[in-house]
């Protein structure tokens, strides 16, 4: 999706608190900088991401699909983690979804509609890479959408792991809850055969961390402050947090959060 935007998009970014000056290069170190940069440079691309000629290696046979959250886009959400995963040797793909034409931030549709977009994107990735399954890393709503895909749209055959950063897995204060959450969590909140890792912060000001935690078989919940008590990462910054990124890498590798440096 082309994130074309004019003055209205920049106003939206400023309204959401994305103040400051856009960085001079596509290398971003914070969600704030990346959000502003994505508005001012709607065609900005994540280095090494969405390379459809990428061939998965024996070490990393599964492509990684990145799913941004509500009122986010693939650039501002993954400007740090996406290139890092590429540097680690993964084939990495990130979609933009749920944004009307000319709007710089997406994730605006229902969970069901968003999951349908994700399903089509995963099929494209699998066809391009020749892989049988993918791992999915999502932030906020982007961590909940893959659960719907896996449970209701055939994704359980195509997804081995879901790594979710601060996802709203249970109803939270704020916008009216999507009824899809009730379906997703009943009778259990996981699907057999899929590994789930939920990464949360106690300083999340958008999704209370307890509303992110899963209880079903195959779920691992990681609270950043249990690893590093001094970590004060909040909701939008979690994908940029070095500790959270370490946990993501461990989840994808199947090793868990070992060797964390605070």
């Amino acid at each position: 999706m082309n994130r074309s935007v004019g003055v209205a998009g920049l106003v939206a970014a400023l309204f959401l608190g994305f103040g400051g000056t856009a960085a001079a290069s596509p290398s971003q170190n914070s969600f704030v900088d990346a959000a502003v940069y994505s508005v001012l440079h709607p065609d900005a691309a994540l280095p090494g991401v969405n390379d459809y000629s990428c061939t998965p290696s024996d070490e990393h046979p599964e492509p990684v699909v990145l799913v941004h959250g509500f009122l986010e886009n693939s650039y501002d959400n993954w400007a740090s983690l996406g290139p890092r995963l590429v540097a680690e040797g993964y084939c990495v793909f990130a979609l933009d979804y749920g944004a009307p034409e000319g709007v710089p931030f997406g994730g605006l549709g229902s969970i069901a509609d968003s999951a349908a977009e994700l399903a089509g994107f995963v099929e494209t990735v699998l066809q391009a890479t020749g892989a049988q399954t993918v791992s999915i890393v999502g932030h906020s709503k982007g961590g909940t959408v893959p659960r719907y895909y896996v449970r209701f749209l055939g994704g359980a055959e195509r997804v081995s792991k879901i790594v979710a950063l601060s996802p709203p897995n249970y109803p939270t204060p704020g916008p009216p809850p999507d009824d899809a959450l009730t379906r997703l969590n009943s009778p259990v909140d996981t699907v057999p055969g899929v590994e789930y890792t939920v990464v949360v912060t106690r300083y999340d000001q958008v999704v209370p961390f307890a509303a992110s935690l899963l209880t079903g078989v195959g779920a691992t919940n990681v609270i950043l402050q249990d690893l590093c008590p001094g970590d004060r990462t909040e909701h939008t910054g979690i994908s940029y947090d070095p500790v959270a990124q370490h946990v993501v890498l461990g989840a994808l590798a199947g090793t868990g959060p070992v060797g964390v440096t605070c």
Side-chain angles (χ1 to χ4, degrees):
M1 176 184 297
N2 187 323
R3 297 189 300 277
S4 59
V5 61
V7 174
L10 181 56
V11 170
L14 296 175
F15 175 77
L16 290 170
F18 302 150
T21 302
S25 76
S27 177
Q28 310 294 341
N29 296 314
S30 75
F31 180 85
V32 171
D33 285 344
V36 175
Y37 192 91
S38 72
V39 170
L40 299 179
H41 302 82
D43 294 322
L46 299 170
V49 175
N50 290 338
D51 175 5
Y52 286 91
S53 67
C54 185
T55 300
S57 65
D58 290 340
E59 183 179 6
H60 301 304
E62 289 187 337
V64 177
V65 172
L66 304 176
V67 186
H68 67 73
F70 176 70
L71 283 180
E72 298 175 341
N73 59 53
S74 63
Y75 189 88
D76 63 25
N77 218 154
W78 308 117
S80 176
L81 183 56
R84 180 172 181 183
L85 290 170
V86 171
E88 292 286 336
Y90 289 95
C91 293
V92 183
F93 301 86
L95 80 158
D96 285 284
Y97 70 97
E101 186 66 27
V103 177
F105 305 113
L108 304 180
S110 68
I111 289 176
D113 289 345
S114 301
E117 288 194 58
L118 173 61
F121 188 79
V122 169
E123 290 302 320
T124 299
V125 169
L126 291 176
Q127 291 175 15
T129 61
Q132 299 300 307
T133 56
V134 302
S135 296
I136 296 179
V137 179
H139 174 248
S140 195
K141 181 179 179 179
T144 307
V145 166
R147 293 181 56 217
Y148 193 98
Y149 167 48
V150 162
R151 183 177 288 275
F152 299 118
L153 301 181
E157 301 299 320
R158 294 163 173 79
V159 179
S160 70
K161 301 179 181 72
I162 296 174
V163 185
L165 305 172
S166 296
N169 285 325
Y170 285 85
T172 64
D178 192 319
D179 289 340
L181 289 179
T182 300
R183 298 180 64 204
L184 275 173
N185 297 328
S186 182
V188 293
D189 56 18
T190 59
V191 172
V194 178
E195 297 178 17
Y196 300 76
T197 301
V198 176
V199 188
V200 299
T201 171
R202 295 183 186 274
Y203 296 99
D204 198 313
Q205 80 283 30
V206 176
V207 179
F209 78 91
S212 296
L213 308 181
L214 296 174
T215 61
V217 174
T220 299
N221 297 303
V222 180
I223 302 174
L224 293 179
Q225 287 73 30
D226 288 348
L227 300 175
C228 295
D231 191 315
R232 299 186 67 86
T233 298
E234 41 69 52
H235 186 80
T236 58
I238 193 168
S239 66
Y240 288 80
D241 180 71
V243 180
Q245 291 188 4
H246 186 93
V247 175
V248 171
L249 290 170
L252 292 175
T255 61
V258 296
V260 174
T261 299
C262 298

